[in-house]
Amino acid sequence: EKGTYPHFMLKEIDEQPFVMRNIINQYQNENGDLKLDDDIRAAMKDADRVYIIACGTSYHAGLVGKQLIENIANIPVESHIASEFVYNMPLLSEKPLFIFISQSGETADSRAVLVEVKKLGHKALTITNVPGSTLSREADYTLNLYAGPEIAVASTKAYTAQIAVLAILAVDSAHAKGIELDFNPLQELAIVANAMEVLCDQKEEMEKIAREFLAVTRNCFFIGRAADYYVCLEAALKLKEISYIQAEGFAGGELKHGTIALIEEGTPVIALATQEHVNLSIRGNVKEVAARGAYTCVISMDGLQEEDDRIVLPKIHPFLTPLVSVLPMQLISYYAALHRDCDVDKPRNLAKSVTVE
Ligand code: M6R
């Protein structure tokens, strides 16, 4: 039920701090240590390469997951769009492990890959919000997202839950391989939950940004580098599906290879600047588009901010920035859709779970 909320999407955005805390509780044992299925731990340890398969928002979470597993557990990872992978399978490694990410667990494109993978005799893990769903039943192992039902077609809390669970999986796999870490995901996720709360309290500013930048425009660009780029892909998808504004997520450095030709006087460009090692470069990209007339809005992180930044996110661990940087993007999309009189929870032409290929 929506309760006092006008839309499920807004309710589900607001639930994200609670979902983070729920995940912390569910994946922790009585000593406060990580608790994951031994079989999953063994499967990750055995794998020489992980293949993440998903669609839409879940695919975007998979891109972040690739970074997490590679950086934390030192296992090579490829992330693939299910509908492409099934017809264009890459050469597989000797001991692959497949991870299917799906909020609903019913996505037909992902299931088509799972069927092929099972035929080849490979192991599969499904990360889903619906244990008992088709993808969960047909895979060898399941990790639950514990996000509670997601009703709005636009996925929000499932995305952040997927990234949180992938971080936990990455750390558990690192422990299994004897890798020493100074990163405790349960502690860091608690900091994330607090940061999310701070942002949920800044709805007025997000609404203002949506009004200023997106009320009448026909297009919008999101730019970022490294993990911010992955969040920009998700931001663009969110804006497209509920507000019908043509939006693109772009790697900052790739703009000059073509897309910058689209920048005109007043084109909205929303930039993410949460990554220290690329901060100077993304700031350079913002200047480049501003010099060509773009109307720019920078969302940065505490410690990296500059004077004109519109939102400064609370500082969190660099591995987990997407969990926090996506939140203003979700809210800005929500308000943009609202200002344009769109049906926020049930956008045209879309279904909550896509059960046809
Ligand atoms: O249930 P799934 O996670 O498998 O769904 C995948 C996509 O259909 C889904 O994420 C879709 O992109 C969302 N509507 C995006 O908000």
Side-chain angles (χ1 to χ4, degrees):
E1 265 315 300
K2 285 198 293 244
T4 54
Y5 282 94
H7 297 99
F8 280 108
M9 184 180 177
L10 193 61
K11 174 173 178 271
E12 289 162 6
I13 291 172
D14 261 357
E15 280 171 354
Q16 291 176 105
F18 170 78
V19 172
M20 291 299 113
R21 293 184 185 120
N22 202 18
I23 288 172
I24 295 170
N25 289 336
Q26 296 290 345
Y27 285 103
Q28 155 169 260
N29 67 17
E30 50 289 350
N31 305 324
D33 297 327
L34 277 191
K35 180 184 72 181
L36 239 80
D37 194 333
D38 286 343
D39 293 345
I40 296 177
R41 174 177 265 234
M44 285 293 284
K45 195 176 169 205
D46 265 7
D48 64 353
R49 185 173 286 258
V50 167
Y51 295 81
I52 297 180
I53 311 293
C55 308
T57 288
S58 297
Y59 167 67
H60 296 153
L63 294 173
V64 178
K66 167 188 162 67
Q67 258 200 340
L68 289 168
I69 297 171
E70 290 194 337
N71 289 334
I72 298 173
N74 202 28
I75 305 171
V77 182
E78 293 178 20
S79 286
H80 291 275
I81 295 170
S83 59
E84 281 298 306
F85 189 93
V86 73
Y87 298 112
N88 192 12
M89 207 181 277
L91 265 185
L92 299 180
S93 65
E94 262 172 43
K95 291 195 282 176
L97 174 68
F98 283 81
I99 300 183
F100 291 84
I101 307 179
S102 176
Q103 190 284 132
S104 62
E106 300 297 343
T107 299
D109 287 321
S110 299
R111 177 159 188 258
V113 179
L114 179 55
V115 169
E116 288 305 310
V117 163
K118 291 278 89 188
K119 272 192 216 153
L120 294 171
H122 299 309
K123 294 278 185 221
L125 157 68
T126 291
I127 301 181
T128 182
N129 207 20
V130 188
S133 57
T134 307
L135 284 168
S136 154
R137 277 186 279 112
E138 295 182 359
D140 301 275
Y141 325 102
T142 297
L143 282 176
N144 191 349
L145 294 173
Y146 297 107
E150 192 182 64
I151 309 294
V153 165
S155 182
T156 53
K157 62 177 179 172
Y159 172 80
T160 43
Q162 286 161 350
I163 293 172
V165 170
L166 284 160
I168 288 172
L169 176 66
V171 170
D172 190 67
S173 310
H175 289 164
K177 294 177 74 181
I179 298 172
E180 296 268 343
L181 295 173
D182 57 3
F183 171 72
N184 178 329
L186 302 176
Q187 275 168 18
E188 299 299 339
L189 287 173
I191 297 171
V192 165
N194 294 341
M196 286 174 158
E197 251 158 20
V198 171
L199 291 165
C200 287
D201 286 342
Q202 291 177 22
K203 294 199 181 68
E204 264 174 41
E205 177 61 7
M206 317 289 179
E207 169 155 27
K208 227 169 114 196
I209 292 174
R211 197 177 293 284
E212 268 177 53
F213 287 82
L214 303 171
V216 291
T217 189
R218 64 187 168 89
N219 61 4
C220 175
F221 293 92
F222 293 92
I223 62 168
R225 287 174 179 247
D228 286 343
Y229 165 50
Y230 297 150
V231 178
C232 286
L233 295 178
E234 172 57 9
L237 174 59
K238 213 88 308 171
L239 188 65
K240 278 186 274 203
E241 74 174 326
I242 60 168
S243 77
Y244 317 139
I245 295 170
Q246 182 148 26
E248 273 195 70
F250 246 85
E254 192 65 9
L255 279 173
K256 60 181 174 297
H257 297 290
T259 308
I260 201 163
L262 290 171
I263 303 292
E264 307 174 341
E265 194 59 40
T267 305
V269 176
I270 301 181
L272 268 182
T274 76
Q275 305 293 305
E276 195 170 2
H277 63 301
V278 290
N279 195 37
L280 276 181
S281 328
I282 193 68
R283 298 287 178 177
N285 298 138
V286 172
K287 289 198 186 91
E288 282 155 21
V289 292
R292 287 159 180 84
Y295 197 12
T296 59
C297 166
V298 179
I299 301 175
S300 63
M301 181 159 285
D302 191 16
L304 297 175
Q305 71 265 44
E306 291 187 7
E307 210 185 318
D308 294 333
D309 294 354
R310 290 297 294 263
I311 297 172
V312 179
L313 308 168
K315 198 175 171 69
I316 55 150
H317 195 286
F319 284 156
L320 301 180
T321 52
L323 290 174
V324 174
S325 58
V326 77
L327 219 132
M329 301 302 202
Q330 296 168 341
L331 282 166
I332 291 168
S333 294
Y334 171 79
Y335 288 114
L338 212 61
H339 295 155
R340 295 167 80 111
D341 267 337
C342 299
D343 187 345
V344 174
D345 282 340
K346 287 203 178 72
R348 68 186 180 207
N349 308 341
L350 288 169
K352 181 62 183 163
S353 51
V354 185
T355 51
V356 287
E357 268 182 67

